[in-house]
Amino acid sequence: MTATGPDLQTADLLSPAAVADPYPLLAELREHDPVHWSERYRSWFVTRYADVDAALRDPRFSSDRIAPYRRARLDGPGADAGVRAAFGVLEDWMVFKDPPDHTRLRKLLSRAFTPRAVERMRVRVAEIADELLRDLGPHADLIGEYAYPLTSSVVAEMLGVPRADQALFKDWSDRITGLVFGGLGDPDRHADGAGGMAELTGYLDELVARGPDAESLVGALVRAREAGDALTHAEVVATGVLLLFAGHETTTNLIGNGLRALLRHPDQAPDAPGTVEELLRWDGPAKTIARLVAADVELGGRTLRRGDRVFLCASAANRDPAVFPDPDRLDVTRRPGRQLGFGIGLHYCLGAPLARLEAAIAIPAALDRFPDLRLAEEPPAWHPVLLSRGLVRLPVHT
């Protein structure tokens, strides 16, 4: 059924109310207009679990959305050269490619994220968490002082970035966020993100040039290029940028959102076998997943045309009552379901095992170290972007 009420006709996931709590609006869309055309964003928003799941498995919903945008908007005269260069880096990201390029890049990286390889990181993740928790004062920000430095340290060490340089990445990452995750309300997001991208790619260019640690991920990419695995220098650098950015951004948000959820629901066990999966479902870091329609397709009774942009709302699908009983209730003992917090199918998140490990260690560690931990009185501030859901700060009293 198509909604006709004014609330859904003007639905905006970037309104202040929806940024703070998107779930009421997503529930209205899911019930009344599950494949919703937004004039505001000139895009479709898909909210039912069955439709999101089907689209994520359907190759007609293409991940290759950066190259068409660059050709249409940035290749003509007068386009900003810095923004064009930033989108050139994004174009080489595995997550924005379809087969066969996606298959080639994923195969090169997959060895670093096998369960066995990730399990070897367990002790180091626990050590970093303990170091950071020891340094927290009576009033702390669990994003800036805990979740972010933990996740960024883990991925930087995997890539072979010297520890002394890791603090540089926070500013670059924050600036790139609007470029990648869809801060459509910010008119300066492209220029600011391009500046951050230029500084980060410049750093990685130098890291590759001076010879990274042979055991690091960047070292493995360089060896693959030198061995003739059809990996260009630009792809080595772009993949390093992707891993540094995506390797901590999603996990930082998972840990931050998860800690906030458990502090608001102290009856829920932080270390139950199903805790991380339920936190991913209930208020996970993936709000929507963007795709471009590669061929006309019918979905939910609507016709989506070739070239249309689609936002697959994983956060709405994860609270679909057709799949999850009593979906708005946080319940870490819930029978494991089919939450879509890491996607599904061809583009299932390569770093999911590492993200799960970090969250399973970091969240209980903070609550064990500070049994009286409580949220500060100030309201939470969320990043105003379409694709991800994450806190700017998480102020607490320890």
Side-chain angles (χ1 to χ4, degrees):
M1 182 173 85
T2 301
T4 57
D7 289 344
L8 295 189
Q9 295 238 349
T10 59
D12 182 9
L13 277 174
L14 289 182
S15 71
V19 168
D21 182 4
Y23 298 104
L25 175 57
L26 290 171
E28 288 293 312
L29 288 171
R30 188 178 57 234
E31 180 177 356
H32 298 293
D33 194 10
V35 181
H36 168 77
W37 174 255
S38 169
E39 283 293 336
R40 181 187 299 271
Y41 296 115
R42 303 296 299 167
S43 303
W44 295 97
F45 286 80
V46 180
T47 48
R48 281 193 307 211
Y49 185 100
D51 294 332
V52 173
D53 179 76
L56 287 172
R57 300 174 188 272
D58 190 332
R60 292 174 295 179
F61 290 86
S62 171
S63 295
D64 184 14
R65 59 187 176 87
I66 299 299
Y69 179 89
R70 178 189 53 75
R71 288 193 296 268
R73 303 285 187 90
L74 300 173
D75 280 354
D80 185 289
V83 173
R84 184 166 58 244
F87 273 84
V89 176
L90 294 180
E91 194 175 336
D92 277 330
W93 283 15
M94 177 182 69
V95 295
F96 296 134
K97 289 183 179 292
D98 293 328
D101 283 336
H102 173 269
T103 308
R104 172 175 58 86
L105 291 170
R106 189 178 180 98
K107 182 178 179 181
L108 288 170
L109 291 172
S110 60
R111 289 188 295 270
F113 294 100
T114 63
R116 185 175 180 180
V118 168
E119 184 60 29
R120 288 198 294 267
M121 297 296 297
R122 179 178 294 275
V123 171
R124 185 62 186 131
V125 171
E127 289 173 349
I128 296 170
D130 185 64
E131 291 172 12
L132 293 167
L133 291 169
R134 283 202 307 264
D135 291 339
L136 293 185
H139 309 289
D141 168 22
L142 291 184
I143 299 298
E145 297 177 67
Y146 184 53
Y148 171 77
L150 186 151
T151 58
S152 63
S153 294
V154 169
V155 73
E157 288 186 12
M158 291 178 70
L159 280 164
V161 173
R163 190 158 190 175
D165 292 346
Q166 291 172 16
L168 297 170
F169 295 105
K170 175 62 174 166
D171 176 63
W172 295 338
S173 176
D174 286 347
R175 292 161 68 189
I176 293 171
T177 293
L179 195 69
V180 176
F181 284 143
L184 299 183
D186 179 4
D188 299 320
R189 70 187 179 97
H190 281 176
D192 192 39
M197 184 73 82
E199 292 172 27
L200 180 50
T201 54
Y203 175 89
L204 287 172
D205 262 324
E206 292 180 11
L207 181 65
V208 170
R210 66 177 182 255
D213 182 344
E215 298 303 312
S216 70
L217 272 175
V218 172
L221 292 171
V222 170
R223 287 200 309 276
R225 183 197 64 193
E226 292 172 347
D229 276 344
L231 194 66
T232 68
H233 174 81
E235 286 177 328
V236 171
V237 173
T239 302
V241 174
L242 168 62
L243 292 169
L244 278 168
F245 179 79
H248 76 79
E249 189 72 28
T250 295
T251 315
T252 294
N253 293 340
L254 171 58
I255 293 170
N257 296 4
L259 281 167
R260 179 175 179 267
L262 292 173
L263 288 171
R264 295 173 65 211
H265 298 82
D267 59 314
Q268 300 294 305
D271 54 359
T275 295
V276 172
E277 293 307 297
E278 177 67 353
L279 294 172
L280 280 161
R281 184 200 70 81
W282 192 74
D283 195 18
K287 189 187 302 180
T288 72
I289 301 166
R291 292 289 187 264
L292 204 63
V293 179
D296 291 2
V297 60
E298 296 289 326
L299 187 70
R302 308 294 292 271
T303 301
L304 284 60
R305 301 297 183 188
R306 182 177 183 272
D308 285 352
R309 183 169 57 182
V310 184
F311 290 105
L312 304 173
C313 300
S315 50
N318 281 339
R319 293 202 185 191
D320 189 336
V323 179
F324 302 98
D326 196 6
D328 293 325
R329 180 169 62 91
L330 179 68
D331 180 7
V332 301
T333 67
R334 184 185 297 273
R335 182 179 177 181
R338 299 168 290 165
Q339 60 82 19
L340 299 175
F342 287 126
I344 202 164
L346 184 68
H347 282 275
Y348 181 77
C349 177
L350 188 64
L354 180 60
R356 286 189 171 98
L357 175 74
E358 291 179 80
I361 291 171
I363 291 172
L367 296 171
D368 287 346
R369 175 63 67 92
F370 301 108
D372 297 323
L373 189 69
R374 68 187 192 279
L375 294 170
E377 294 73 20
E378 64 183 87
W382 299 88
H383 288 288
V385 294
L386 279 174
L387 297 189
S388 69
R389 177 158 169 82
L391 291 154
V392 178
R393 300 178 67 248
L394 181 56
V396 295
H397 304 297
T398 61

